[in-house]
Amino acid sequence: MIPPLALALLAPVAAGLGPSPVTWELTVFVLAIFIGYYVVWQVTPALHSPLMAVTNAISSVIIVGALLAAGASHAAASQGFGFAAVTLAAINIFGGFAVTWRMLGKFRKRKT
Amino acid sequence: MSPDLSALLYLTSAVCFILALRGLSHPETAQKGNVFAITGMVLAVGTTLAQPRMLAFGPIAVGILIGGAIGIAIALRIQMTALPQLVAAFHSLVGLAAVCVATAAFFSPESFGIGTSGHILTGSLIEMGLGSAIGAITFTGSVVAFAKLQGLVSGTPLNLPLQHPLNALLALGIVALLPIFAAAGQASVFFAIVALALALGFLLIVPIGGADMPVVISMLNSYSGWAASGIGFTLHNALLIITGALVGSSGAILSYVMCKGMNRSIFNVIFGGFGSAPGIGGSGTKREQRPVKQGSAEDAAFILKNAQSVVVVPGYGMAVAQAQHALREMADVLKHQGVQIRYAIHPVAGRMPGHMNVLLAEANIPYDEVFELDEINRDFAQTDVAFVIGANDVTNPAAKTDPASPIFGMPVLDVERARTVLFIKRSMATGYAGVDNELFYRDNTLMLFGDAKKVVEGIVKTFG
């Protein structure tokens, strides 16, 4: 006897499809956390402020979702929320990269 | 553009973001890292715009133009002392944008390929609810953090009655509503989740005091990443999932570093109410009246000129007084006379991680003269002068010796080991933690009372 849950989980495998998309996404997610963990520990503490500004800018990559909502939908509500999200994310992207640029430009080595 | 090509381009974009963080391992490669980040973003936006399902570009162009103009205008004008509130404000926008995207996906699932209106896939509903909840918490939490940092509301910690049970109730409410939303997918349940999360974000941050803001900003940085990941799961977009995970772990690491700098656990920060303990500090009524040695600018100049090595310990008070430029002038004169000048930075010296490094860099102080606590603490014993400017609690020896002190166990800079400590201070008032500093009464400490900028300018003038 195979329990129903296992059956449900095995269904895509039986059909030759491999694991479900959510499982793949979870795999990517967990591995990315590990990459983030090891890469961020290598960041010098002196640059923790620029790190914060640049991570803030790149987390606005959710603009990808905003663009689809604003430009690929027929529903007015979706277009409205999409437009708002595009504008908000754009403030962050441009502002975040610009302020990171300004900060990093100030770090200079001793003149020899 | 085929789905496979888009996926590969999104992957390239994700790799760019990883390389951007990698670049920050050294100031010399950091700017290159920023270029990688910008490249990744352009690639991500371009790939999305080239999707065959895109219908209209007008509103998108308008949104990007408006947002871009606002963002750049703010970023170019902001003072470096105000960076923490800028970052808090930016975090709130990420949170709000995440809520907007989730809402849009709820109303128009077809455009994202996650079902049809009213028949959204169960998994997508859960992810949507979760993503928007984290986004909403990030939004209101960051707005409160911004208001506190900007001084719009008081930075003193508040202890509201029933604060913890109420927060727990809100969190439980969100968790309980998620499966209900996943089962039926009604709009009312979705908005209830968002409303509870908005309230939770507000109530979580309101009680936290100004001294803990470095931890709070780092935490919200982390949340904004998790929110992006949540949206990535909803939209089945690997780029969003990866980027969110990178940002989420980055913020978590920064929170950890900040907590360690204050010897506190993250739970203690969230549930604490630091600096509100009654009976300590205050307006100095209970403080013992011990004599302190007070010096003039001339005294300080004499001691500095005759030193071989000086370690400057800057705190946020230096930045408030805008004394960093005068400080660099003073350092230039001393360096010219062969005095070795270095700077010692405590992890929580500024109002956000790495803030003090930016403030010193802005005053043209070379980064290779600036050292972290672990790198320089051992050297104080061989240092002639420790020059404390605008810092207080991070130099307090009580953190090492007095178990009764509220800051006991916090890593501190061992300035008292230097031959002479020059301590610039506005008055005898206590620091953020409201604790008296016994360093003031030591024999090798010379207090220089006054505005940090004026005192340093006075010293420079005496050099003549």
Side-chain angles (χ1 to χ4, degrees), chain B residues 62 73 95 114 149 156 165 173 193 224 246 278 282 302 309-310 344 379-380 386 388 413-415 440 451:
Chain B
V62 174
I114 53 170
L149 287 161
T156 48
I193 292 176
S224 70
L246 294 175
F302 180 77
S309 56
V310 174
D379 296 357
F380 277 109
V388 185
L413 290 154
D414 299 332
V415 290
F440 304 155
D451 173 73

Side-chain angles (χ1 to χ4, degrees), chain B residues 285-307:
Chain B
T285 41
K286 284 179 73 183
R287 194 160 342 107
E288 39 188 327
Q289 300 292 326
R290 281 194 277 167
V292 296
K293 273 204 275 184
Q294 191 179 341
S296 63
E298 287 79 18
D299 301 330
F302 180 77
I303 293 170
L304 286 166
K305 264 187 171 178
N306 288 297

Side-chain angles (χ1 to χ4, degrees), chain B residues 410-429:
Chain B
M410 177 171 109
V412 287
L413 290 154
D414 299 332
V415 290
E416 76 278 5
R417 299 219 181 140
R419 191 166 304 155
T420 310
V421 180
L422 295 177
F423 210 114
I424 299 186
K425 225 175 164 313
R426 189 178 286 278
S427 67
M428 283 300 284

Side-chain angles (χ1 to χ4, degrees), chain A residues 15-64:
Chain A
L17 296 171
S20 66
V22 178
T23 317
W24 274 120
E25 284 160 8
L26 203 61
T27 310
V28 169
F29 179 63
V30 172
L31 291 179
I33 291 176
F34 275 89
I35 294 176
Y37 181 85
Y38 287 106
V39 173
V40 171
W41 272 119
Q42 293 303 311
V43 173
T44 169
L47 295 179
H48 275 168
S49 285
L51 170 68
M52 227 173 210
V54 86
T55 50
N56 173 68
I58 65 174
S59 66
S60 302
V61 72
I62 48 169
I63 196 170
V64 164

Side-chain angles (χ1 to χ4, degrees), chain B residues 156-179:
Chain B
T156 48
L158 294 170
N159 281 314
L160 311 169
L162 294 177
Q163 153 194 335
H164 300 317
L166 185 61
N167 287 349
L169 204 67
L170 285 171
L172 277 177
I174 295 170
V175 173
L177 284 178
L178 276 176

Side-chain angles (χ1 to χ4, degrees), chain A residues 22 25, chain B residues 114 120-130 178 181-183 230 233-236:
Chain A
V22 178
E25 284 160 8
Chain B
I114 53 170
I120 304 175
L121 303 170
T122 311
S124 297
L125 284 174
I126 295 180
E127 293 150 0
M128 195 182 285
L130 210 55
L178 276 176
F181 178 57
F233 276 107
T234 316
L235 308 183
H236 301 298

Side-chain angles (χ1 to χ4, degrees), chain B residues 20 24-25 52 59 76 79 102 104 110 118-119 135 139 144 156 179 183 233 254 268 270 272 284 287 317 396 438 448:
Chain B
L24 288 169
S25 58
L76 294 184
Q79 299 245 320
E110 310 78 21
H119 301 280
F139 172 57
V144 175
T156 48
F233 276 107
L254 291 177
N268 188 249
I270 298 171
R287 194 160 342 107
N396 195 337
E438 63 150 304
L448 306 165

